[in-house]
Amino acid sequence: MRTHPATATSRPPFRWLPLPLALAALGCSPTALAADSQEAVELQTVQVEAQAQEGTAESGYRTSTASTGPLGRMSLQDTPYSLNVTSGELFANRHAHTVSEALKTNPTVSTLMESSGYSSMSRVMVRGFTAADQSDLRDGLVDRSFTYVPLENVERIEVLNGLSGFLYGFSALGGSINYVSKQPTAAPFVSLTAGQYGGGLNYLHADAGGPLPLDDRWTYRLNAYHEDGSTYVEGSHQERSLFSAAVNFRLSAATRLSADIWHQDLEMNGLQTYLNVNPSGGIHVPDASRFDATTQYGQDWSYNKSKKTLMGLGLETALNDTFTFRTAYRFGDMWRDYQYVAGSLTDNAGHYTETAWGSTRQTEQTHSGYALMDADFQTGSVGHKLTFGYSGTSYLYTRGNDVKSALGLSDIDAPAWYADPGLDIGGTNVWYQQHYRNWVLGDRIEFSPRWSALVGLNRASLDLRRWGSGTALSARDYAQNETTPSLALMFKPQPNLTTYVSYMEGLANGGTAPTAAKNAGEMLAPSVSKQYELGVKASLGRMDLTAALFRIDKVNEFTDPADNTYKQDGREVHQGLEFTASGKLTERLTLVGGFTVLSAEVTEARNNPDLEGKTPVNVPERQARLYLEYALADVPGLSLTGGAHYFGKRPVDAMNTEYLAGATTFDLGARYQTRVAGRPLTLNLGVSNLFDKAYWSYYRSGDGLLLGAPRVVSFSARTEW
């Protein structure tokens, strides 16, 4: 540990200002609405009541339905895709406030970016590909997560594995992540939670919902959240506030209006530092045990600040017994500023250089919407659930040139302190404008109780314009149109067992060259990929089991070590097996987890044949998750929890000369539910990385290595009335 002038400044460990604001909000009339696209308005009322226990600890965190893009809500058992749902109660009980922590129980997801980094973005990989940007959704509408993703107003997270071109047009190959917002409730309730996580972040969270007193056709949901304190990294400080409101109005038995709004303020100081290696230059990946995750290897004057507002409107109406119309629109506005310190190892003895980087304020405005018609009808003995319509997204993103200043040498055993260099950051000089348009036609066909199919087409178009005077980002325009099909056949030998085979094509934007590449910032041309999948889904007792074999074939994108240029060349194939399990093994024992075995390699590289057979950077060949809860019979209300998380080795360079070592971490916790003064009280204690394992969380090209979190104790107390 080191001391320097910056540590002399003290700040109050927690500001309780949000408490009166939250309490005041609970008593005021909501002014905004929220929507979650469903299949039929009257049917939706029945679903909400019937599924009140879905995703809860009592249900084993099981869910029976999920959103499937323009197709609306479908039964997981009848969905011919690998789709995993993490309930809000599960990640709340595990003290998860970041995306990587929330999805820690999902065995098909691996971390690509942590929110503790300089951009505060969360990124995950699925099937060895990034799942982000156009594949980040909020209630089925695109919500590019270019800053910290708040989870306190999220009911569940739905991860669709693999290609989703039929559903969303241009999207990430890894899959899509849909954050489903907490919805208004028919019954009134108020809850208040206070706790600490992340090494010293104290928080207060108020959540309330119910019908409005004068007219029960109006229902609302409010969430107010504030955190303030330090993270586990020395010299750090973080403050974040979130307010969200949602209201539904039932205009008639067949028509529902909805809208929502949320706003988040974030300020992070003393950011965690990446450390770059250079395998081709003889600078190898160091053993993580030589590092201390609580040490500030950068500088505590580094920062990330951002603000984001998201608001939406929706309408759903059953026109008659056959047709249902759904439409929604969402607008997002955000900005972020950051200044960070990058480290580059200069030898294998632990010496490194520190460089300060600063960025012009980056802004983004996003518009996203859809208009869809559902038709439920019969042709003879064959049933059809047809969906057709339009969805689209456009955004304008601005930034400027990053600037840097060399600070000097440092040592991992005694990091040096440097004063803020006062970087001369210029103004905005680069603009991106992008438009996505999708026309979709899909039909869920039921031939018999055992045989069914899903067929569909998506006509997608992409228009990209980039202009400005940025030195690394010259003006360039793209325009592309493509029609992608999706075909799936399902067979149910038993009502609780579904087998399926599916084929889907996907459209993906070209990758963006990383900062360290010669063509840094260049966006490559879009491409078409293909996916084949064979799966089985079973409900056995109170357990849900799924397995999927998949193969994805895409264009290869990489930084060519021969000329340090990011380019497309040849093909890349990812194939593997996923297995997931969730539910109750016994009345008292809950299990959530599974594993992924993945073979990912470059199968063709004409410009650089040496890359053939190599695994893409940061892709683990194996990973597994296991989360257990056990309710003690002798102590009513007390449950013990535990988890194990394993990921295999991952290459850090295109030639696979260096790897991150595999690692396994363990969690332990307890939850106690009782009543005080007639009100329910839940006390929750958790310890993550129980044995304080030192490991590399991930490697990101252009940034470097990031240490995984150390042992962290979290706790909370929740009451409701």
Side-chain angles (χ1 to χ4, degrees):
M1 305 286 282
R2 70 176 188 264
T3 59
H4 48 72
T7 59
T9 302
S10 62
R11 301 183 68 169
F14 190 69
R15 299 174 184 173
W16 295 97
L17 177 61
L19 177 57
L21 294 179
L23 294 178
L26 297 178
C28 71
S29 297
T31 58
L33 312 160
D36 183 29
S37 302
Q38 310 296 337
E39 291 185 3
V41 176
E42 288 195 272
L43 179 60
Q44 172 63 12
T45 303
V46 176
Q47 286 180 334
V48 169
E49 295 172 357
Q51 298 175 5
Q53 297 303 311
E54 276 206 353
T56 63
E58 290 75 16
S59 72
Y61 302 113
R62 298 170 70 190
T63 54
S64 63
T65 64
S67 304
T68 52
L71 301 183
R73 186 155 303 283
M74 289 178 61
S75 164
L76 287 172
Q77 188 78 30
D78 298 329
T79 304
Y81 310 122
S82 180
L83 210 165
N84 298 282
V85 181
T86 302
S87 77
E89 185 162 321
L90 174 57
F91 61 73
N93 284 344
R94 295 181 45 257
H95 306 279
H97 294 258
T98 66
V99 173
S100 60
E101 280 294 317
L103 295 177
K104 202 173 179 179
T105 56
N106 185 334
T108 68
V109 170
S110 57
T111 300
L112 179 61
M113 290 185 72
E114 294 274 14
S115 55
S116 59
Y118 64 88
S119 68
S120 75
M121 293 192 303
S122 296
R123 290 286 186 264
V124 300
M125 299 181 76
V126 180
R127 297 183 174 177
F129 298 112
T130 305
D133 293 349
Q134 276 66 46
S135 297
D136 270 18
L137 311 166
R138 177 73 67 148
D139 300 321
L141 290 166
V142 172
D143 173 26
R144 289 159 49 95
S145 56
F146 267 30
T147 184
Y148 196 109
V149 178
L151 299 180
E152 293 76 24
N153 60 346
V154 172
E155 187 67 37
R156 62 186 180 275
I157 304 175
E158 303 169 339
V159 179
L160 173 63
N161 293 356
L163 305 189
S164 54
F166 157 55
L167 301 174
Y168 303 112
F170 284 90
S171 57
L173 299 181
S176 61
I177 302 178
N178 185 32
Y179 302 96
V180 180
S181 301
K182 292 180 177 178
Q183 292 297 297
T185 58
F189 84 99
V190 177
S191 73
L192 191 65
T193 305
Q196 184 183 95
Y197 80 100
L201 290 171
N202 302 292
Y203 69 89
L204 185 67
H205 180 197
D207 185 2
L212 291 183
L214 299 180
D215 190 343
D216 61 6
R217 293 180 301 169
W218 290 89
T219 53
Y220 75 95
R221 188 71 173 268
L222 297 175
N223 276 269
Y225 176 87
H226 184 79
E227 67 183 27
D228 195 348
S230 60
T231 71
Y232 56 80
V233 179
E234 66 172 314
S236 68
H237 186 269
Q238 182 169 315
E239 186 172 355
R240 181 167 63 94
S241 296
L242 170 72
F243 178 79
S244 71
V247 175
N248 287 346
F249 175 60
R250 190 165 293 279
L251 190 62
S252 68
T255 302
R256 185 187 65 178
L257 295 169
S258 54
D260 70 287
I261 184 170
W262 62 261
H263 176 81
Q264 176 177 262
D265 288 342
L266 170 70
E267 181 173 351
M268 305 167 65
N269 295 279
L271 305 177
Q272 193 174 6
T273 296
Y274 288 90
L275 291 169
N276 243 310
V277 294
N278 183 13
S280 62
I283 310 301
H284 306 298
V285 175
D287 191 324
S289 64
R290 297 177 59 188
F291 296 79
D292 179 0
T294 66
T295 296
Q296 175 58 267
Y297 293 104
Q299 304 297 324
D300 61 8
W301 41 257
S302 58
Y303 65 85
N304 181 288
K305 302 175 184 178
S306 69
K307 292 192 178 193
K308 181 171 182 175
T309 301
L310 203 67
M311 61 186 73
L313 296 167
L315 167 68
E316 182 177 351
T317 181
L319 303 177
N320 51 41
D321 292 339
T322 300
F323 292 102
T324 298
F325 176 70
R326 296 179 280 130
T327 185
Y329 165 77
R330 176 151 285 155
F331 170 75
D333 183 76
M334 64 81 64
W335 62 260
R336 67 180 183 189
D337 295 331
Y338 55 75
Q339 180 173 295
Y340 66 98
V341 174
S344 294
L345 291 166
T346 58
D347 56 32
N348 295 309
H351 300 101
Y352 65 101
T353 60
E354 294 190 35
T355 303
W357 287 83
S359 175
T360 304
R361 173 168 292 187
Q362 300 172 15
T363 70
E364 183 175 73
Q365 292 186 339
T366 304
H367 303 267
S368 184
Y370 62 75
L372 299 163
M373 185 74 77
D374 302 318
D376 192 342
F377 61 95
Q378 296 278 133
T379 55
S381 61
V382 178
H384 298 267
K385 291 185 177 179
L386 188 72
T387 295
F388 57 93
Y390 169 86
S391 65
T393 301
S394 66
Y395 74 89
L396 177 65
Y397 172 60
T398 73
R399 64 168 301 154
N401 290 340
D402 290 347
V403 296
K404 65 178 180 177
S405 174
L407 298 177
L409 294 174
S410 198
D411 190 315
I412 63 173
D413 296 320
W417 180 79
Y418 291 99
D420 186 340
L423 296 174
D424 184 13
I425 299 174
T428 298
N429 62 1
V430 178
W431 289 260
Y432 291 87
Q433 192 168 46
Q434 201 154 343
H435 303 280
Y436 298 86
R437 302 176 185 88
N438 305 295
W439 291 95
V440 64
L441 172 65
D443 191 6
R444 288 168 280 172
I445 307 169
E446 185 174 334
F447 302 105
S448 71
R450 290 191 173 188
W451 289 96
S452 60
L454 193 157
V455 297
L457 293 172
N458 187 307
R459 178 62 176 176
S461 65
L462 161 66
D463 296 297
L464 166 66
R465 184 182 176 221
R466 186 176 65 211
W467 70 97
S469 59
T471 56
L473 299 170
S474 58
R476 191 165 183 181
D477 295 344
Y478 285 116
Q480 183 163 329
N481 299 279
E482 196 73 41
T483 300
T484 54
S486 179
L487 305 170
L489 181 66
M490 291 163 281
F491 174 64
K492 283 187 172 183
Q494 299 291 336
N496 62 340
L497 177 64
T498 301
T499 61
Y500 67 90
V501 58
S502 67
Y503 170 79
M504 185 183 288
E505 292 184 2
L507 299 170
N509 291 345
T512 301
T515 304
K518 186 169 67 176
N519 58 335
E522 180 182 354
M523 180 177 283
L524 305 185
S527 60
V528 178
S529 303
K530 300 178 180 180
Q531 175 179 278
Y532 305 86
E533 184 169 315
L534 177 66
V536 58
K537 302 182 179 185
S539 295
L540 302 178
R542 300 179 67 182
M543 291 291 298
D544 292 331
L545 307 175
T546 72
L549 287 166
F550 60 88
R551 176 184 172 89
I552 301 175
D553 188 330
K554 72 173 286 285
V555 66
N556 178 39
E557 294 184 344
F558 70 108
T559 301
D560 192 336
D563 56 9
N564 194 36
T565 300
Y566 192 71
K567 61 180 65 172
Q568 294 175 338
D569 176 36
R571 305 299 297 178
E572 183 180 323
V573 174
H574 292 209
Q575 53 191 359
L577 168 67
E578 299 166 342
F579 172 78
T580 67
S582 61
K584 284 189 170 289
L585 286 173
T586 69
E587 182 63 30
R588 297 188 176 277
L589 180 61
T590 295
L591 180 150
V592 179
F595 64 85
T596 296
V597 178
L598 175 65
S599 172
E601 65 177 64
V602 177
T603 59
E604 179 187 350
R606 293 181 296 272
N607 292 337
N608 191 347
D610 290 340
L611 287 172
E612 294 183 3
K614 299 298 190 291
T615 301
V617 171
N618 199 51
V619 176
E621 295 180 345
R622 295 174 179 84
Q623 58 188 43
R625 308 283 188 268
L626 177 65
Y627 175 77
L628 297 170
E629 278 192 11
Y630 184 73
L632 275 67
D634 296 336
V635 186
L638 179 62
S639 297
L640 301 181
T641 66
H645 316 280
Y646 165 77
F647 55 84
K649 67 176 185 178
R650 292 163 289 170
V652 300
D653 64 323
M655 299 304 297
N656 294 181
T657 60
E658 290 283 327
Y659 287 82
L660 302 184
T664 304
T665 62
F666 298 91
D667 300 339
L668 190 66
R671 185 174 67 254
Y672 181 60
Q673 296 172 290
T674 185
R675 300 187 73 86
V676 175
R679 292 179 178 173
L681 175 67
T682 300
L683 304 175
N684 206 341
L685 175 68
V687 183
S688 59
N689 195 358
L690 179 65
F691 301 109
D692 204 18
K693 171 75 174 180
Y695 67 100
W696 295 112
S697 176
Y698 63 91
Y699 174 85
R700 185 169 186 266
S701 297
D703 288 333
L705 302 164
L706 196 73
L707 280 169
R711 178 170 52 239
V712 174
V713 178
S714 303
F715 56 86
S716 66
R718 178 178 183 271
T719 186
E720 61 182 77
W721 58 93

